Amino acid sequence: MLIKEYRVILPMTVEEYQVAQLWSVAKSSKENTGGGEGIVVLKNEPFNNKTDLFENYMTGQYTHKIYKLQSKVPWWVRKLAPKGSLELYEEAWNAYPYCKTVIDNPDYMKENFFIKIESLHIHDNGSLENPFNLSKEQLKKREVVYIDIANDPIPAGDYVENEDPSKFLSKKTGRGQLGSNWRQTTTPIMCAYKLVTVEFKWFGLQGRIENFIQSSERRLFTKFHRQLFCWIDEWHGLTMNDIRKIEEQVQDELAKEIKEGSVKGYVSNDQ
């Protein structure tokens, strides 16, 4: 088991991020679906009185998705994995500002594999010592990783100039062109704390797979949040009612796109 806590600092409010995150998930889902790969949305509905999340968060939006991943994992995984095993099932409970996501592979790996992502969104600069109230034993295993959306290095294939927060300037908000010390000087400011727990039980491959998954999560969090900020002029001012309408439309589009066209979006670096 490998535990990392990613801390993504962002130049926006927690309220803005709720809309930004959902809008950007919808957009990136479309950009990563096609040619038999991508995302299928099975359910998107409210939930109430779920008592096993975190603290007093019990109400929000539940989603259930399938991820079809053939080209999005390294070649050595594709070689080992039986046909049909590269489908992941995701359940998510968005009780914003807390969210919990569980990803597994019930058809093949069963209880031997899961990714759990807990997210907490707070108006601060990522300075909380223990935002998820982890035990002493869990804290010993946890590694804290800060993500700087403007200055962290990214793979050349992920770089898009108009999605570079160090160059982008928002017309609506005037935010952007983030410098080397923007996290100390910019307002508003918030942190998306993301606790990622990975378990993959497979003799001889456990460490390699768990490290690959965690490095992939860091890559995805970095790319996604760079995009989320640079798309601010597209989502800023939208309401949650707007978001729910967009999600319904995108769900129908994904069902069509996954059957057509070519593979799109994120591809493994084949490490």
Side-chain angles (χ1 to χ4, degrees):
M1 182 181 292
L2 200 56
I3 303 173
K4 296 194 179 188
E5 183 181 294
Y6 300 93
R7 300 184 175 189
V8 189
I9 317 301
L10 293 158
M12 63 188 65
T13 68
V14 170
E15 293 75 21
E16 287 173 336
Y17 183 85
Q18 183 178 19
V19 168
Q21 192 260 348
L22 294 172
W23 187 91
S24 299
V25 165
K27 179 169 180 172
S28 64
S29 295
K30 291 168 62 177
E31 292 183 348
N32 285 276
T33 299
E37 295 190 25
I39 301 160
V40 178
V41 180
L42 302 178
K43 289 184 180 180
N44 185 356
E45 61 192 23
F47 72 88
N48 295 288
N49 299 317
K50 185 171 175 59
T51 58
D52 59 347
L53 292 177
F54 178 70
E55 295 187 339
N56 295 319
Y57 298 107
M58 296 185 291
T59 302
Q61 194 79 5
Y62 168 78
T63 56
H64 188 193
K65 302 176 182 178
I66 301 176
Y67 290 82
K68 298 176 182 287
L69 300 174
Q70 187 70 19
S71 69
K72 305 182 191 303
V73 299
W75 65 266
W76 46 271
V77 174
R78 296 196 294 270
K79 187 173 181 180
L80 290 167
K83 185 178 180 180
S85 66
L86 295 177
E87 289 188 359
L88 301 182
Y89 287 72
E90 178 196 274
E91 289 187 283
W93 296 266
N94 188 343
Y96 199 80
Y98 172 81
C99 308
K100 178 181 178 180
T101 301
V102 178
I103 299 168
D104 60 14
N105 178 233
D107 293 338
Y108 184 66
M109 289 296 295
K110 299 181 170 54
E111 71 279 358
N112 294 315
F113 163 72
F114 71 85
I115 305 170
K116 181 174 68 173
I117 304 170
E118 295 181 83
S119 302
L120 196 59
H121 308 90
I122 296 176
H123 281 297
D124 74 359
N125 63 353
S127 58
L128 284 183
E129 187 170 332
N130 186 12
F132 296 97
N133 298 333
L134 299 181
S135 67
K136 289 183 179 180
E137 289 303 311
Q138 290 172 315
L139 287 173
K140 289 178 183 177
K141 298 177 182 178
R142 178 197 69 170
E143 176 187 350
V144 174
V145 179
Y146 286 90
I147 293 178
D148 183 336
I149 62 169
N151 299 298
D152 282 357
I154 64 170
D158 287 352
Y159 183 79
V160 179
E161 187 171 1
N162 62 8
E163 295 174 358
D164 183 343
S166 70
K167 297 180 178 180
F168 168 80
L169 184 64
S170 167
K171 294 178 181 178
K172 283 188 177 181
T173 67
R175 301 176 208 168
Q177 297 181 342
L178 305 178
S180 59
N181 65 338
W182 72 270
R183 291 182 293 175
Q184 288 74 46
T185 60
T186 301
T187 56
I189 199 88
M190 63 154 287
C191 181
Y193 292 87
K194 292 186 171 292
L195 182 69
V196 180
T197 304
V198 176
E199 182 156 275
F200 187 94
K201 295 180 180 178
W202 190 332
F203 181 75
L205 282 177
Q206 181 167 353
R208 187 175 184 183
I209 293 283
E210 289 180 352
N211 277 294
F212 167 75
I213 292 171
Q214 287 285 10
S215 66
S216 296
E217 291 294 342
R218 179 173 185 166
R219 178 186 170 194
L220 287 167
F221 290 153
T222 303
K223 179 178 175 63
F224 176 77
H225 287 94
R226 284 167 65 91
Q227 291 176 322
L228 178 149
F229 174 64
C230 292
W231 292 339
I232 189 170
D233 288 345
E234 298 181 63
W235 56 255
H236 196 270
L238 295 177
T239 67
M240 286 303 296
N241 284 335
D242 295 328
I243 293 298
R244 295 301 173 217
K245 291 176 183 176
I246 291 168
E247 287 177 334
E248 288 180 12
Q249 179 183 346
V250 169
Q251 182 172 345
D252 293 337
E253 291 177 7
L254 292 178
K256 180 181 178 182
E257 284 293 321
I258 201 164
K259 300 174 184 177
E260 301 175 352
S262 57
V263 174
K264 295 188 290 186
Y266 179 96
V267 177
S268 170
N269 284 333
D270 270 4
Q271 297 172 338

